[in-house]
Amino acid sequence: MVSAFVGTAFAQDDEPAAKAQWRQVADQLRPRVPKLAALLDEAETDVLTYMSFPKEHRTKIHSNNPIERLNGEIKRRTEVVGIFPNDEAIVRLVGAILLEQNDEWAVQRARYMTLETIATLSDDGVVGLPAVAI
């Protein structure tokens, strides 16, 4: 029941409405479950941060699925090697995987955030990727 109650804050259309709903949920829980209400008070900023992004980004950043997928790919590729000869070999392999994933995310316009939509969040109007990864 509490989960559904808290979930109503995530169903709001914009950040002010989500914060207002979060406050209302915390205030309604306060008499019965003061520790939970205190936890909600403390977590509000962290939990609702994603609401400050444009609406089209929210579905992509409210979940950690992309990070879990990336971690799974790193695990899969490192288990193939088994034993690394030194730390530099690990850094090279994981670095190559991260660069590969970054390139993939940068060109997949339908799946992840594009540079054009992220540009609206910045004061800098220039949108572009560096020519070469350093």
Side-chain angles (χ1 to χ4, degrees):
M1 179 185 101
V2 172
S3 176
F5 204 37
V6 170
T8 61
F10 301 116
Q12 303 304 313
D13 289 332
D14 59 3
E15 186 177 14
K19 287 186 175 196
Q21 182 64 24
W22 188 270
R23 297 275 45 161
Q24 183 181 357
V25 168
D27 291 342
Q28 289 179 352
L29 290 172
R30 199 171 314 284
R32 291 187 181 182
V33 194
K35 286 184 180 181
L36 178 57
L39 179 65
L40 288 172
D41 291 340
E42 188 178 314
E44 177 181 356
T45 304
D46 293 335
V47 172
L48 296 178
T49 297
Y50 82 99
M51 292 293 287
S52 64
F53 285 83
K55 193 169 188 162
E56 62 270 10
H57 292 184
R58 292 182 196 154
T59 58
K60 296 172 174 98
I61 61 175
H62 82 281
S63 166
N64 65 349
N65 288 345
I67 295 170
E68 292 295 331
R69 189 173 307 132
L70 176 60
N71 288 339
E73 181 65 13
I74 291 171
K75 181 179 179 182
R76 184 184 72 78
R77 303 257 300 264
T78 55
E79 283 180 346
V80 170
V81 176
I83 298 173
F84 287 90
N86 54 38
D87 290 347
E88 290 79 19
I90 297 169
V91 170
R92 274 193 307 275
L93 177 61
V94 173
I97 295 168
L98 294 174
L99 283 171
E100 179 182 295
Q101 189 64 55
N102 180 63
D103 292 346
E104 202 173 297
W105 284 350
V107 297
Q108 287 183 340
R109 296 196 177 276
R111 225 170 142 192
Y112 295 99
M113 293 178 271
T114 64
L115 290 173
E116 292 79 12
T117 60
I118 292 174
T120 62
L121 301 173
S122 175
D123 295 333
D124 184 8
V126 178
V127 177
L129 290 173
V132 177
I134 299 174

